[in-house]
PDB file of all heavy atoms in Angstrom:
ATOM      1  N   ARG J  30     -39.153  23.511  25.612  1.00  0.00           N
ATOM      2  CA  ARG J  30     -39.444  24.926  25.973  1.00  0.00           C
ATOM      3  C   ARG J  30     -38.740  25.341  27.347  1.00  0.00           C
ATOM      4  O   ARG J  30     -38.686  24.605  28.333  1.00  0.00           O
ATOM      5  CB  ARG J  30     -40.887  25.133  26.201  1.00  0.00           C
ATOM      6  CG  ARG J  30     -41.694  24.876  24.898  1.00  0.00           C
ATOM      7  CD  ARG J  30     -41.896  26.305  24.227  1.00  0.00           C
ATOM      8  NE  ARG J  30     -42.251  26.180  22.876  1.00  0.00           N
ATOM      9  CZ  ARG J  30     -43.472  25.917  22.441  1.00  0.00           C
ATOM     10  NH1 ARG J  30     -44.468  25.699  23.216  1.00  0.00           N
ATOM     11  NH2 ARG J  30     -43.696  25.890  21.092  1.00  0.00           N
ATOM     12  N   GLU J  32     -39.493  27.584  30.446  1.00  0.00           N
ATOM     13  CA  GLU J  32     -40.708  28.263  31.039  1.00  0.00           C
ATOM     14  C   GLU J  32     -40.221  29.330  32.186  1.00  0.00           C
ATOM     15  O   GLU J  32     -39.181  29.286  32.615  1.00  0.00           O
ATOM     16  CB  GLU J  32     -41.598  27.101  31.770  1.00  0.00           C
ATOM     17  CG  GLU J  32     -42.217  26.171  30.802  1.00  0.00           C
ATOM     18  CD  GLU J  32     -43.138  26.755  29.735  1.00  0.00           C
ATOM     19  OE1 GLU J  32     -43.705  27.883  30.052  1.00  0.00           O
ATOM     20  OE2 GLU J  32     -43.382  26.158  28.697  1.00  0.00           O
ATOM     21  N   PRO J  33     -41.233  30.197  32.584  1.00  0.00           N
ATOM     22  CA  PRO J  33     -40.763  31.223  33.493  1.00  0.00           C
ATOM     23  C   PRO J  33     -40.083  30.733  34.781  1.00  0.00           C
ATOM     24  O   PRO J  33     -39.224  31.430  35.368  1.00  0.00           O
ATOM     25  CB  PRO J  33     -42.106  31.956  33.878  1.00  0.00           C
ATOM     26  CG  PRO J  33     -43.085  31.576  32.686  1.00  0.00           C
ATOM     27  CD  PRO J  33     -42.593  30.309  32.173  1.00  0.00           C
ATOM     28  N   LEU J 150     -42.127  31.900  15.065  1.00  0.00           N
ATOM     29  CA  LEU J 150     -41.969  32.295  16.574  1.00  0.00           C
ATOM     30  C   LEU J 150     -42.898  31.442  17.414  1.00  0.00           C
ATOM     31  O   LEU J 150     -42.764  31.424  18.570  1.00  0.00           O
ATOM     32  CB  LEU J 150     -42.240  33.782  16.751  1.00  0.00           C
ATOM     33  CG  LEU J 150     -41.255  34.734  16.125  1.00  0.00           C
ATOM     34  CD1 LEU J 150     -41.639  36.172  16.332  1.00  0.00           C
ATOM     35  CD2 LEU J 150     -39.855  34.510  16.782  1.00  0.00           C
ATOM     36  N   CYS J 151     -43.963  30.731  16.728  1.00  0.00           N
ATOM     37  CA  CYS J 151     -44.784  29.771  17.485  1.00  0.00           C
ATOM     38  C   CYS J 151     -43.923  28.681  17.939  1.00  0.00           C
ATOM     39  O   CYS J 151     -44.355  27.900  18.866  1.00  0.00           O
ATOM     40  CB  CYS J 151     -45.892  29.199  16.664  1.00  0.00           C
ATOM     41  SG  CYS J 151     -47.029  30.498  15.997  1.00  0.00           S
ATOM     42  N   TYR J 155     -39.044  30.069  24.155  1.00  0.00           N
ATOM     43  CA  TYR J 155     -39.671  30.557  25.405  1.00  0.00           C
ATOM     44  C   TYR J 155     -41.128  30.242  25.355  1.00  0.00           C
ATOM     45  O   TYR J 155     -41.850  30.868  24.545  1.00  0.00           O
ATOM     46  CB  TYR J 155     -39.248  32.000  25.601  1.00  0.00           C
ATOM     47  CG  TYR J 155     -39.755  32.503  26.946  1.00  0.00           C
ATOM     48  CD1 TYR J 155     -39.303  31.842  28.124  1.00  0.00           C
ATOM     49  CD2 TYR J 155     -40.697  33.525  27.209  1.00  0.00           C
ATOM     50  CE1 TYR J 155     -39.720  32.231  29.379  1.00  0.00           C
ATOM     51  CE2 TYR J 155     -41.119  33.844  28.419  1.00  0.00           C
ATOM     52  CZ  TYR J 155     -40.616  33.209  29.515  1.00  0.00           C
ATOM     53  OH  TYR J 155     -41.055  33.555  30.786  1.00  0.00           O
ATOM     54  N   GLY J 156     -41.638  29.488  26.321  1.00  0.00           N
ATOM     55  CA  GLY J 156     -43.053  29.015  26.213  1.00  0.00           C
ATOM     56  C   GLY J 156     -44.088  30.053  26.161  1.00  0.00           C
ATOM     57  O   GLY J 156     -44.894  30.061  25.203  1.00  0.00           O
ATOM     58  N   PRO J 157     -44.087  31.059  27.080  1.00  0.00           N
ATOM     59  CA  PRO J 157     -45.211  32.137  26.982  1.00  0.00           C
ATOM     60  C   PRO J 157     -45.127  32.851  25.670  1.00  0.00           C
ATOM     61  O   PRO J 157     -46.220  33.257  25.181  1.00  0.00           O
ATOM     62  CB  PRO J 157     -44.793  32.993  28.240  1.00  0.00           C
ATOM     63  CG  PRO J 157     -44.166  32.118  29.172  1.00  0.00           C
ATOM     64  CD  PRO J 157     -43.333  31.177  28.277  1.00  0.00           C
ATOM     65  N   TYR J 158     -43.954  33.205  25.147  1.00  0.00           N
ATOM     66  CA  TYR J 158     -43.982  33.865  23.859  1.00  0.00           C
ATOM     67  C   TYR J 158     -44.437  33.035  22.752  1.00  0.00           C
ATOM     68  O   TYR J 158     -45.293  33.499  21.937  1.00  0.00           O
ATOM     69  CB  TYR J 158     -42.483  34.289  23.603  1.00  0.00           C
ATOM     70  CG  TYR J 158     -42.199  35.269  22.434  1.00  0.00           C
ATOM     71  CD1 TYR J 158     -43.119  36.194  22.155  1.00  0.00           C
ATOM     72  CD2 TYR J 158     -41.049  35.223  21.667  1.00  0.00           C
ATOM     73  CE1 TYR J 158     -42.953  37.201  21.068  1.00  0.00           C
ATOM     74  CE2 TYR J 158     -40.814  36.157  20.659  1.00  0.00           C
ATOM     75  CZ  TYR J 158     -41.785  37.081  20.358  1.00  0.00           C
ATOM     76  OH  TYR J 158     -41.489  37.954  19.350  1.00  0.00           O
ATOM     77  N   ALA J 159     -44.034  31.817  22.619  1.00  0.00           N
ATOM     78  CA  ALA J 159     -44.461  30.805  21.647  1.00  0.00           C
ATOM     79  C   ALA J 159     -45.984  30.618  21.687  1.00  0.00           C
ATOM     80  O   ALA J 159     -46.686  30.725  20.651  1.00  0.00           O
ATOM     81  CB  ALA J 159     -43.748  29.467  21.767  1.00  0.00           C
ATOM     82  N   ARG J 160     -46.493  30.484  22.908  1.00  0.00           N
ATOM     83  CA  ARG J 160     -47.979  30.300  23.016  1.00  0.00           C
ATOM     84  C   ARG J 160     -48.737  31.567  22.577  1.00  0.00           C
ATOM     85  O   ARG J 160     -49.808  31.455  21.954  1.00  0.00           O
ATOM     86  CB  ARG J 160     -48.340  29.806  24.380  1.00  0.00           C
ATOM     87  CG  ARG J 160     -47.892  28.360  24.694  1.00  0.00           C
ATOM     88  CD  ARG J 160     -48.359  27.849  25.984  1.00  0.00           C
ATOM     89  NE  ARG J 160     -47.762  28.405  27.164  1.00  0.00           N
ATOM     90  CZ  ARG J 160     -46.634  28.058  27.697  1.00  0.00           C
ATOM     91  NH1 ARG J 160     -45.985  26.966  27.156  1.00  0.00           N
ATOM     92  NH2 ARG J 160     -46.162  28.590  28.755  1.00  0.00           N
ATOM     93  N   ALA J 161     -48.233  32.769  22.948  1.00  0.00           N
ATOM     94  CA  ALA J 161     -48.941  33.854  22.603  1.00  0.00           C
ATOM     95  C   ALA J 161     -48.996  34.148  21.030  1.00  0.00           C
ATOM     96  O   ALA J 161     -49.955  34.466  20.498  1.00  0.00           O
ATOM     97  CB  ALA J 161     -48.250  35.178  23.234  1.00  0.00           C
ATOM     98  N   MET J 162     -47.839  33.619  20.361  1.00  0.00           N
ATOM     99  CA  MET J 162     -47.780  33.717  18.917  1.00  0.00           C
ATOM    100  C   MET J 162     -48.770  32.887  18.244  1.00  0.00           C
ATOM    101  O   MET J 162     -49.235  33.265  17.110  1.00  0.00           O
ATOM    102  CB  MET J 162     -46.376  33.320  18.484  1.00  0.00           C
ATOM    103  CG  MET J 162     -45.324  34.354  18.616  1.00  0.00           C
ATOM    104  SD  MET J 162     -45.752  35.867  17.815  1.00  0.00           S
ATOM    105  CE  MET J 162     -46.217  36.857  19.207  1.00  0.00           C
ATOM    106  N   ILE J 163     -49.198  31.802  18.846  1.00  0.00           N
ATOM    107  CA  ILE J 163     -50.134  30.922  18.166  1.00  0.00           C
ATOM    108  C   ILE J 163     -51.483  31.657  17.920  1.00  0.00           C
ATOM    109  O   ILE J 163     -52.003  31.714  16.812  1.00  0.00           O
ATOM    110  CB  ILE J 163     -50.370  29.580  18.956  1.00  0.00           C
ATOM    111  CG1 ILE J 163     -49.047  28.805  18.857  1.00  0.00           C
ATOM    112  CG2 ILE J 163     -51.568  28.788  18.415  1.00  0.00           C
ATOM    113  CD1 ILE J 163     -49.096  27.534  19.880  1.00  0.00           C
ATOM    114  N   ARG J 164     -51.977  32.229  18.981  1.00  0.00           N
ATOM    115  CA  ARG J 164     -53.245  33.041  18.855  1.00  0.00           C
ATOM    116  C   ARG J 164     -53.033  34.251  17.934  1.00  0.00           C
ATOM    117  O   ARG J 164     -53.883  34.569  17.067  1.00  0.00           O
ATOM    118  CB  ARG J 164     -53.697  33.400  20.260  1.00  0.00           C
ATOM    119  CG  ARG J 164     -54.980  34.216  20.155  1.00  0.00           C
ATOM    120  CD  ARG J 164     -55.808  34.165  21.357  1.00  0.00           C
ATOM    121  NE  ARG J 164     -56.896  34.983  21.306  1.00  0.00           N
ATOM    122  CZ  ARG J 164     -57.743  35.285  22.233  1.00  0.00           C
ATOM    123  NH1 ARG J 164     -57.579  34.696  23.444  1.00  0.00           N
ATOM    124  NH2 ARG J 164     -58.777  36.052  22.037  1.00  0.00           N
ATOM    125  N   VAL J 165     -51.946  34.957  18.156  1.00  0.00           N
ATOM    126  CA  VAL J 165     -51.648  36.138  17.375  1.00  0.00           C
ATOM    127  C   VAL J 165     -51.635  35.830  15.813  1.00  0.00           C
ATOM    128  O   VAL J 165     -52.286  36.482  15.042  1.00  0.00           O
ATOM    129  CB  VAL J 165     -50.342  36.863  17.736  1.00  0.00           C
ATOM    130  CG1 VAL J 165     -49.843  37.915  16.855  1.00  0.00           C
ATOM    131  CG2 VAL J 165     -50.422  37.446  19.192  1.00  0.00           C
TER     132      VAL J 165
END
Side-chain angles (χ1 to χ4, degrees):
R30 294 264 162 83
E32 295 296 339
L150 294 174
C151 297
Y155 187 58
Y158 191 32
R160 288 189 288 274
M162 281 303 105
I163 292 171
R164 178 156 177 190
V165 168

